Amino acid sequence: MESLVLFLPFLLIMGGFMYVSSRRQKRAMQATIDLHESLQPGDRVHTTSGLQATVVAFTDDTVDLEISPGVVTTWMKLAIRDRILPEDADDFDDADSFEDPDEADGPADSTNGNRVAKDS
């Protein structure tokens, strides 16, 4: 009887871990299914092997991906890992055009704050 009392908490803990891991796996599988159902021709995707491509067409189990202009390959749908979201180009243009007014005159001398003459 004592061995059952000692073994019962172990069984409950293991059962809890198994339940949590199976729920996580089901959630991940549902997210993959939702991704595959939402893809449309023209979407940019990553494959599980790291390839970036554009979706051209679908069949029941396969997807045609254009990996470079005019080169179309056929992949299993399960090989698509995620969709590449388009980046907003305006965010990067603002950051690139930012110029520090202190750096316009040249780099500062780190010892006393004086400007260092550029050798040309």
Side-chain angles (χ1 to χ4, degrees):
M1 186 66 159
E2 287 182 27
S3 62
L4 181 62
V5 171
L6 294 175
F7 192 62
L8 188 59
F10 177 73
L11 284 177
L12 289 174
I13 291 171
M14 290 303 292
F17 282 130
M18 290 174 57
Y19 175 75
V20 169
S21 66
S22 70
R23 296 238 337 139
R24 186 179 304 149
Q25 184 178 9
K26 285 179 184 178
R27 226 178 293 132
M29 183 58 82
Q30 187 60 44
T32 301
I33 290 170
D34 292 343
L35 169 69
H36 292 166
E37 290 176 352
S38 69
L39 288 176
Q40 298 176 351
D43 286 344
R44 298 275 302 155
V45 295
H46 280 129
T47 64
T48 54
S49 62
L51 182 75
Q52 296 182 10
T54 303
V55 175
V56 177
F58 285 103
T59 63
D60 290 336
D61 296 329
T62 63
V63 60
D64 292 336
L65 300 177
E66 184 175 34
I67 56 176
S68 67
V71 180
V72 178
T73 58
T74 302
W75 294 68
M76 292 178 58
K77 276 188 180 179
L78 292 175
I80 296 178
R81 184 181 66 199
D82 58 7
R83 177 183 293 130
I84 300 173
L85 299 175
E87 296 179 5
D88 192 13
D90 295 336
D91 293 341
F92 294 111
D93 290 341
D94 292 341
D96 292 341
S97 64
F98 176 77
E99 197 173 303
D100 189 1
D102 292 338
E103 291 183 10
D105 298 329
D109 185 0
S110 61
T111 57
N112 59 11
N114 295 332
R115 298 288 171 194
V116 177
K118 288 185 180 179
D119 293 334
S120 302

